[in-house]
Amino acid sequence: MTTPVNVTVTGAAGQIGYALLFRIASGQLLGPDVPVRLRLLEIPQGVKAAEGTAMELDDCAFPLLAGIDIFDDPRRGFDGANIALLVGARPRGPGMERGDLLEANGGIFKPQGEAINAGAAQDVRVLVVGNPANTNALIAQAHAPDVPAERFTAMTRLDHNRALSQLSAKTGAPVGDITGLTIWGNHSATQYPDVFHARVAGRPASELVDEAWLENDFIPTVAKRGAAIIAARGASSAASAANAAVDHVFDWVNGTPAGEWTSVALPSDGSYGVPEGLISSFPARSVGGRWEIVQDLEINAFSRAKIDASVAELVEEREAVKGLGLI
Ligand SMILES: NC(=O)C1=CN([C@@H]2O[C@H](COP(=O)(O)OP(=O)(O)OC[C@H]3O[C@@H](n4cnc5c(N)ncnc54)[C@H](O)[C@@H]3O)[C@@H](O)[C@H]2O)C=CC1
Ligand SMILES: O=C([O-])CC(=O)C(=O)O
């Protein structure tokens, strides 16, 4: 049997953890032939519930699940990690913005970055889900100087999937017929879901929808979907967040389909005028196991203003965590 891939999941006893772990163990994260060993990281109060989840995982008898270990020490949790899913963090409640969690959650990501630096596998790939995801990823990355910066990503795939679903509902085309969508910027209410390069069954999306719908309906619906789910469910998105994390890692490891791209928050190389080093969402393709930013898309004035506004918020968040001594 091939050597199992070590997948560390933080916040394993939380809502997203509960929706995510079974999908990882069933082979959906990495592929149907790849055995996985789960390393669950929780805070001490979460360990007992994580043990319960581990019992349920055992009871599924997943053929690909090579083992489960539970830790409350980040150094041990990230030891040997090939894939690190940083989910554990406090979720927001009604009336909060994700940025309000900066102080509460930022402190989690410094020791986790240090632990990844100290003991993760050479090929570690990190996905931050815990909010505010982009800036938490920046904190973790800042404390892992020996790991290539590009291995730190934050999740905007849920926003991307939400945008696909909204555009599909509007045009009547199946989601599988839509390509070329992009989420730019922050995983926050300032994010910019961009349809100007999107195609619906081969036709430019901009021919099928008008600007009033984009501005008054599509963009706010996608950008505020997280809050709408909290209002409806009384808790933040969990199964859809887990699904997006699976999509993100699967594509990172296995490649995006030829000619297509998705949305990933990754360290900027200065592309599209986004300051270097900020972890911002871009159109990205996975080629040879690495994310590459899709280059040379034409950015119209409408898009430019929206991208700049979200990037400005990321700059503010970076300043705030500098002020808190987190980077
Ligand atoms: N990027 C995205 O698209 C999305 C991000 N989120 C975010 O994901 C995070 C987790 O959400 P839920 O699972 O619903 O929250 P939850 O409260 O159900 O679970 C969080 C878990 O993390 C654990 N935890 C807290 N600090 C930890 C630490 N230092 N190390 C390890 N574990 C720790 C808690 O004990 C708890 O079990 C939240 O910050 C939420 O806002 C949620 C949905 C989408
Ligand atoms: O909205 C929240 O707080 C949870 C989240 O990030 C999302 O659902 O996109």
Side-chain angles (χ1 to χ4, degrees), residues 40-60:
L40 311 185
L41 180 64
E42 259 295 343
I43 50 175
Q45 308 87 287
V47 164
K48 195 161 194 298
E51 284 169 357
T53 304
M55 289 163 69
E56 283 203 68
L57 283 159
D58 285 340
D59 294 349
C60 293

PDB file of all heavy atoms in Angstrom, residues 40-60:
ATOM      1  N   LEU A  40      -5.688  15.062  14.247  1.00  0.00           N
ATOM      2  CA  LEU A  40      -6.703  16.034  14.664  1.00  0.00           C
ATOM      3  C   LEU A  40      -6.133  16.911  15.768  1.00  0.00           C
ATOM      4  O   LEU A  40      -5.625  16.406  16.773  1.00  0.00           O
ATOM      5  CB  LEU A  40      -7.960  15.314  15.166  1.00  0.00           C
ATOM      6  CG  LEU A  40      -8.510  14.204  14.263  1.00  0.00           C
ATOM      7  CD1 LEU A  40      -9.824  13.668  14.828  1.00  0.00           C
ATOM      8  CD2 LEU A  40      -8.703  14.695  12.839  1.00  0.00           C
ATOM      9  N   LEU A  41      -6.222  18.217  15.564  1.00  0.00           N
ATOM     10  CA  LEU A  41      -5.717  19.149  16.573  1.00  0.00           C
ATOM     11  C   LEU A  41      -6.895  19.918  17.158  1.00  0.00           C
ATOM     12  O   LEU A  41      -7.699  20.494  16.414  1.00  0.00           O
ATOM     13  CB  LEU A  41      -4.710  20.118  15.934  1.00  0.00           C
ATOM     14  CG  LEU A  41      -4.102  21.150  16.880  1.00  0.00           C
ATOM     15  CD1 LEU A  41      -3.256  20.495  17.969  1.00  0.00           C
ATOM     16  CD2 LEU A  41      -3.244  22.159  16.098  1.00  0.00           C
ATOM     17  N   GLU A  42      -6.982  19.897  18.470  1.00  0.00           N
ATOM     18  CA  GLU A  42      -8.044  20.638  19.179  1.00  0.00           C
ATOM     19  C   GLU A  42      -7.422  21.354  20.372  1.00  0.00           C
ATOM     20  O   GLU A  42      -6.269  21.109  20.731  1.00  0.00           O
ATOM     21  CB  GLU A  42      -9.147  19.676  19.665  1.00  0.00           C
ATOM     22  CG  GLU A  42     -10.402  19.672  18.789  1.00  0.00           C
ATOM     23  CD  GLU A  42     -11.164  21.013  18.800  1.00  0.00           C
ATOM     24  OE1 GLU A  42     -10.938  21.831  19.703  1.00  0.00           O
ATOM     25  OE2 GLU A  42     -12.010  21.220  17.917  1.00  0.00           O
ATOM     26  N   ILE A  43      -8.183  22.234  20.977  1.00  0.00           N
ATOM     27  CA  ILE A  43      -7.792  22.752  22.281  1.00  0.00           C
ATOM     28  C   ILE A  43      -8.191  21.671  23.310  1.00  0.00           C
ATOM     29  O   ILE A  43      -9.026  20.798  23.004  1.00  0.00           O
ATOM     30  CB  ILE A  43      -8.487  24.106  22.577  1.00  0.00           C
ATOM     31  CG1 ILE A  43      -9.998  24.018  22.336  1.00  0.00           C
ATOM     32  CG2 ILE A  43      -7.879  25.209  21.708  1.00  0.00           C
ATOM     33  CD1 ILE A  43     -10.765  25.273  22.729  1.00  0.00           C
ATOM     34  N   PRO A  44      -7.625  21.715  24.522  1.00  0.00           N
ATOM     35  CA  PRO A  44      -7.908  20.630  25.478  1.00  0.00           C
ATOM     36  C   PRO A  44      -9.412  20.373  25.669  1.00  0.00           C
ATOM     37  O   PRO A  44      -9.844  19.206  25.703  1.00  0.00           O
ATOM     38  CB  PRO A  44      -7.234  21.117  26.764  1.00  0.00           C
ATOM     39  CG  PRO A  44      -6.081  21.954  26.276  1.00  0.00           C
ATOM     40  CD  PRO A  44      -6.585  22.648  25.031  1.00  0.00           C
ATOM     41  N   GLN A  45     -10.214  21.456  25.733  1.00  0.00           N
ATOM     42  CA  GLN A  45     -11.665  21.253  25.953  1.00  0.00           C
ATOM     43  C   GLN A  45     -12.340  20.555  24.772  1.00  0.00           C
ATOM     44  O   GLN A  45     -13.461  20.073  24.896  1.00  0.00           O
ATOM     45  CB  GLN A  45     -12.394  22.587  26.153  1.00  0.00           C
ATOM     46  CG  GLN A  45     -11.838  23.523  27.189  1.00  0.00           C
ATOM     47  CD  GLN A  45     -10.748  24.434  26.635  1.00  0.00           C
ATOM     48  OE1 GLN A  45      -9.639  23.996  26.371  1.00  0.00           O
ATOM     49  NE2 GLN A  45     -11.044  25.720  26.471  1.00  0.00           N
ATOM     50  N   GLY A  46     -11.685  20.547  23.615  1.00  0.00           N
ATOM     51  CA  GLY A  46     -12.304  19.944  22.426  1.00  0.00           C
ATOM     52  C   GLY A  46     -11.883  18.507  22.191  1.00  0.00           C
ATOM     53  O   GLY A  46     -12.424  17.825  21.305  1.00  0.00           O
ATOM     54  N   VAL A  47     -10.939  18.030  23.004  1.00  0.00           N
ATOM     55  CA  VAL A  47     -10.360  16.719  22.714  1.00  0.00           C
ATOM     56  C   VAL A  47     -11.386  15.584  22.857  1.00  0.00           C
ATOM     57  O   VAL A  47     -11.459  14.676  22.030  1.00  0.00           O
ATOM     58  CB  VAL A  47      -9.119  16.478  23.602  1.00  0.00           C
ATOM     59  CG1 VAL A  47      -8.723  15.009  23.616  1.00  0.00           C
ATOM     60  CG2 VAL A  47      -7.957  17.343  23.116  1.00  0.00           C
ATOM     61  N   LYS A  48     -12.228  15.681  23.891  1.00  0.00           N
ATOM     62  CA  LYS A  48     -13.173  14.573  24.121  1.00  0.00           C
ATOM     63  C   LYS A  48     -14.151  14.435  22.942  1.00  0.00           C
ATOM     64  O   LYS A  48     -14.407  13.336  22.454  1.00  0.00           O
ATOM     65  CB  LYS A  48     -13.945  14.812  25.430  1.00  0.00           C
ATOM     66  CG  LYS A  48     -14.644  13.576  25.921  1.00  0.00           C
ATOM     67  CD  LYS A  48     -15.001  13.706  27.401  1.00  0.00           C
ATOM     68  CE  LYS A  48     -15.384  12.396  28.034  1.00  0.00           C
ATOM     69  NZ  LYS A  48     -16.538  11.764  27.480  1.00  0.00           N
ATOM     70  N   ALA A  49     -14.642  15.586  22.485  1.00  0.00           N
ATOM     71  CA  ALA A  49     -15.563  15.535  21.337  1.00  0.00           C
ATOM     72  C   ALA A  49     -14.829  15.024  20.092  1.00  0.00           C
ATOM     73  O   ALA A  49     -15.414  14.268  19.291  1.00  0.00           O
ATOM     74  CB  ALA A  49     -16.154  16.923  21.084  1.00  0.00           C
ATOM     75  N   ALA A  50     -13.563  15.416  19.936  1.00  0.00           N
ATOM     76  CA  ALA A  50     -12.797  14.906  18.784  1.00  0.00           C
ATOM     77  C   ALA A  50     -12.644  13.393  18.880  1.00  0.00           C
ATOM     78  O   ALA A  50     -12.695  12.680  17.875  1.00  0.00           O
ATOM     79  CB  ALA A  50     -11.430  15.590  18.712  1.00  0.00           C
ATOM     80  N   GLU A  51     -12.498  12.904  20.119  1.00  0.00           N
ATOM     81  CA  GLU A  51     -12.396  11.440  20.289  1.00  0.00           C
ATOM     82  C   GLU A  51     -13.695  10.761  19.855  1.00  0.00           C
ATOM     83  O   GLU A  51     -13.678   9.688  19.253  1.00  0.00           O
ATOM     84  CB  GLU A  51     -12.093  11.104  21.765  1.00  0.00           C
ATOM     85  CG  GLU A  51     -10.634  11.369  22.119  1.00  0.00           C
ATOM     86  CD  GLU A  51     -10.346  11.303  23.623  1.00  0.00           C
ATOM     87  OE1 GLU A  51     -11.296  11.108  24.429  1.00  0.00           O
ATOM     88  OE2 GLU A  51      -9.160  11.481  23.982  1.00  0.00           O
ATOM     89  N   GLY A  52     -14.804  11.420  20.136  1.00  0.00           N
ATOM     90  CA  GLY A  52     -16.098  10.869  19.699  1.00  0.00           C
ATOM     91  C   GLY A  52     -16.186  10.814  18.182  1.00  0.00           C
ATOM     92  O   GLY A  52     -16.644   9.812  17.604  1.00  0.00           O
ATOM     93  N   THR A  53     -15.726  11.886  17.550  1.00  0.00           N
ATOM     94  CA  THR A  53     -15.749  11.897  16.076  1.00  0.00           C
ATOM     95  C   THR A  53     -14.827  10.797  15.537  1.00  0.00           C
ATOM     96  O   THR A  53     -15.165  10.114  14.561  1.00  0.00           O
ATOM     97  CB  THR A  53     -15.315  13.284  15.552  1.00  0.00           C
ATOM     98  OG1 THR A  53     -16.168  14.267  16.139  1.00  0.00           O
ATOM     99  CG2 THR A  53     -15.419  13.366  14.046  1.00  0.00           C
ATOM    100  N   ALA A  54     -13.686  10.627  16.198  1.00  0.00           N
ATOM    101  CA  ALA A  54     -12.758   9.573  15.755  1.00  0.00           C
ATOM    102  C   ALA A  54     -13.410   8.186  15.883  1.00  0.00           C
ATOM    103  O   ALA A  54     -13.232   7.317  15.018  1.00  0.00           O
ATOM    104  CB  ALA A  54     -11.474   9.633  16.571  1.00  0.00           C
ATOM    105  N   MET A  55     -14.210   7.996  16.935  1.00  0.00           N
ATOM    106  CA  MET A  55     -14.909   6.702  17.075  1.00  0.00           C
ATOM    107  C   MET A  55     -15.856   6.491  15.891  1.00  0.00           C
ATOM    108  O   MET A  55     -15.950   5.402  15.320  1.00  0.00           O
ATOM    109  CB  MET A  55     -15.703   6.679  18.395  1.00  0.00           C
ATOM    110  CG  MET A  55     -14.812   6.581  19.635  1.00  0.00           C
ATOM    111  SD  MET A  55     -15.712   7.049  21.148  1.00  0.00           S
ATOM    112  CE  MET A  55     -16.853   5.689  21.311  1.00  0.00           C
ATOM    113  N   GLU A  56     -16.543   7.579  15.511  1.00  0.00           N
ATOM    114  CA  GLU A  56     -17.458   7.453  14.365  1.00  0.00           C
ATOM    115  C   GLU A  56     -16.708   7.185  13.063  1.00  0.00           C
ATOM    116  O   GLU A  56     -17.177   6.445  12.198  1.00  0.00           O
ATOM    117  CB  GLU A  56     -18.288   8.726  14.225  1.00  0.00           C
ATOM    118  CG  GLU A  56     -19.414   8.844  15.219  1.00  0.00           C
ATOM    119  CD  GLU A  56     -20.485   9.778  14.679  1.00  0.00           C
ATOM    120  OE1 GLU A  56     -21.170   9.440  13.704  1.00  0.00           O
ATOM    121  OE2 GLU A  56     -20.594  10.889  15.218  1.00  0.00           O
ATOM    122  N   LEU A  57     -15.540   7.834  12.942  1.00  0.00           N
ATOM    123  CA  LEU A  57     -14.728   7.573  11.744  1.00  0.00           C
ATOM    124  C   LEU A  57     -14.339   6.097  11.702  1.00  0.00           C
ATOM    125  O   LEU A  57     -14.413   5.452  10.650  1.00  0.00           O
ATOM    126  CB  LEU A  57     -13.480   8.470  11.742  1.00  0.00           C
ATOM    127  CG  LEU A  57     -13.736   9.929  11.348  1.00  0.00           C
ATOM    128  CD1 LEU A  57     -12.607  10.836  11.864  1.00  0.00           C
ATOM    129  CD2 LEU A  57     -13.882  10.082   9.832  1.00  0.00           C
ATOM    130  N   ASP A  58     -13.945   5.563  12.861  1.00  0.00           N
ATOM    131  CA  ASP A  58     -13.625   4.125  12.924  1.00  0.00           C
ATOM    132  C   ASP A  58     -14.821   3.301  12.457  1.00  0.00           C
ATOM    133  O   ASP A  58     -14.682   2.333  11.715  1.00  0.00           O
ATOM    134  CB  ASP A  58     -13.295   3.712  14.366  1.00  0.00           C
ATOM    135  CG  ASP A  58     -11.913   4.171  14.811  1.00  0.00           C
ATOM    136  OD1 ASP A  58     -11.071   4.468  13.938  1.00  0.00           O
ATOM    137  OD2 ASP A  58     -11.688   4.233  16.040  1.00  0.00           O
ATOM    138  N   ASP A  59     -15.994   3.725  12.893  1.00  0.00           N
ATOM    139  CA  ASP A  59     -17.200   2.944  12.613  1.00  0.00           C
ATOM    140  C   ASP A  59     -17.607   2.982  11.145  1.00  0.00           C
ATOM    141  O   ASP A  59     -18.484   2.227  10.709  1.00  0.00           O
ATOM    142  CB  ASP A  59     -18.366   3.443  13.484  1.00  0.00           C
ATOM    143  CG  ASP A  59     -18.111   3.171  14.966  1.00  0.00           C
ATOM    144  OD1 ASP A  59     -17.155   2.434  15.273  1.00  0.00           O
ATOM    145  OD2 ASP A  59     -18.851   3.719  15.809  1.00  0.00           O
ATOM    146  N   CYS A  60     -16.999   3.890  10.398  1.00  0.00           N
ATOM    147  CA  CYS A  60     -17.281   3.925   8.952  1.00  0.00           C
ATOM    148  C   CYS A  60     -16.431   2.891   8.207  1.00  0.00           C
ATOM    149  O   CYS A  60     -16.708   2.596   7.042  1.00  0.00           O
ATOM    150  CB  CYS A  60     -17.002   5.311   8.377  1.00  0.00           C
ATOM    151  SG  CYS A  60     -18.130   6.568   8.984  1.00  0.00           S
TER     152      CYS A  60
END
